[in-house]
Amino acid sequence: QSVLTQPPSVSGAPGQRVTMSCTGSSSNIGAGYDVHWYQQLPGTAPKLLIYGNYIRPSGVPDRFSGSKSGTSASLAITGLQAEDEADYYCQSYDNSLSPNWVFGGGTKLTVL
Amino acid sequence: QVQLLQSGPGLVKPSQTLSLTCGISGDSVSSNRAAWNWIRQSPSRGLEWLGRTYYRSKWYNDYAVSVKGRITINPDTSKNQFSLHLNSVTLEDTAVYYCARGVVGATTNWFDPWGQGTLVTVSS
């Protein structure tokens, strides 16, 4: 069981908008810790997609956006493309067992 | 551009020690603005942070409770790399192991970049 909860899967057609959630608790996201997002293409290492809740690193298309509210965060992808098919993970910090950086279980995005 | 290159064996026997190395290019293991982490990924445990080493006028280490007592992460300034040693391994330690640079954020670190990953299988 991951500390951060993500839906196992989401799907959308090319060109559509999809969102995926990341739900935490008062010891992690709700405590004010930032959320970061990673994209993992099949057979590769995770790649930073969003940091500091909503900031895109250089080179990441503006089709990807992040937000955070309360004990949850969300990743949105607009103008869905076939190459977006991947696993997406959220990450934050949990102060119940210090030090402890925690991840969500991941969401598999399928582009129909 | 920072790059991390992992090396080490992909097969370890039960009760023995898992050892991996992560070579750094484009940054320094002695950087005052980064931490050097090991993270593993398995179907049963997902992504799991294991520990880190970092330099802030002196060297520090932090380890996850789940592996504390079995793990050591060491910097090697002469080769600009860091290593992971996990002893007394069991089948549950079978996973893909990643090294990653921890970047200091406003409230918590994020990991960028990651090494290419090493599948380590614990088997006799």
Side-chain angles (χ1 to χ4, degrees):
Chain A
Q1 284 284 18
S2 299
V3 173
L4 305 178
T5 300
Q6 296 182 250
S9 64
V10 297
S11 63
Q16 285 190 334
R17 177 181 186 268
V18 296
T19 62
M20 57 190 77
S21 60
C22 174
T23 302
S25 67
S26 59
S27 62
N28 41 70
I29 299 175
Y33 297 108
D34 287 341
V35 177
H36 318 297
W37 292 88
Y38 303 86
Q39 178 191 59
Q40 186 174 33
L41 298 170
T44 69
K47 172 194 161 191
L48 182 68
L49 194 64
I50 296 283
Y51 66 93
N53 304 317
Y54 59 86
I55 303 170
R56 282 177 286 104
S58 173
V60 173
D62 59 6
R63 301 186 296 104
F64 296 88
S65 63
S67 63
K68 174 193 162 186
S69 178
T71 58
S72 295
S74 288
L75 175 70
I77 310 173
T78 59
L80 208 55
Q81 300 180 3
E83 58 260 36
D84 298 332
E85 187 160 293
D87 294 323
Y88 293 83
Y89 295 91
C90 59
Q91 175 246 316
S92 187
Y93 183 85
D94 191 284
N95 62 24
S96 62
L97 285 173
S98 293
N100 191 19
W101 285 267
V102 292
F103 293 87
T107 297
K108 167 69 178 176
L109 169 64
T110 300
V111 180
L112 302 171
Chain B
Q1 180 188 2
V2 180
Q3 291 185 311
L4 304 179
L5 185 62
Q6 299 176 217
S7 59
L11 182 63
V12 182
K13 289 182 167 51
S15 80
Q16 294 194 341
T17 297
L18 180 163
S19 295
L20 297 172
T21 299
C22 183
I24 303 165
S25 60
D27 201 344
S28 169
V29 72
S30 303
S31 169
N32 275 294
R33 294 173 296 176
W36 304 96
N37 299 261
W38 286 97
I39 297 163
R40 67 183 177 184
Q41 184 176 30
S42 66
S44 59
R45 302 172 75 99
L47 283 164
E48 179 184 18
W49 175 81
L50 297 177
R52 65 174 183 167
T53 188
Y54 60 101
Y55 185 77
R56 301 289 185 269
S57 302
K58 68 174 186 176
W59 288 101
Y60 294 88
N61 289 99
D62 293 312
Y63 300 125
V65 169
S66 62
V67 292
K68 204 165 189 177
R70 294 200 296 134
I71 187 173
T72 305
I73 296 176
N74 293 321
D76 183 341
T77 57
S78 66
K79 296 181 179 178
N80 201 30
Q81 64 186 30
F82 63 108
S83 61
L84 165 70
H85 302 280
L86 184 67
N87 60 38
S88 304
V89 297
T90 69
L91 300 184
E92 287 197 355
D93 294 311
T94 294
V96 177
Y97 286 76
Y98 294 100
C99 59
R101 182 180 66 165
V103 181
V104 177
T107 63
T108 186
N109 296 2
W110 60 86
F111 303 109
D112 180 54
W114 297 53
Q116 80 275 23
T118 302
L119 173 59
V120 178
T121 302
V122 178
S123 174
S124 54

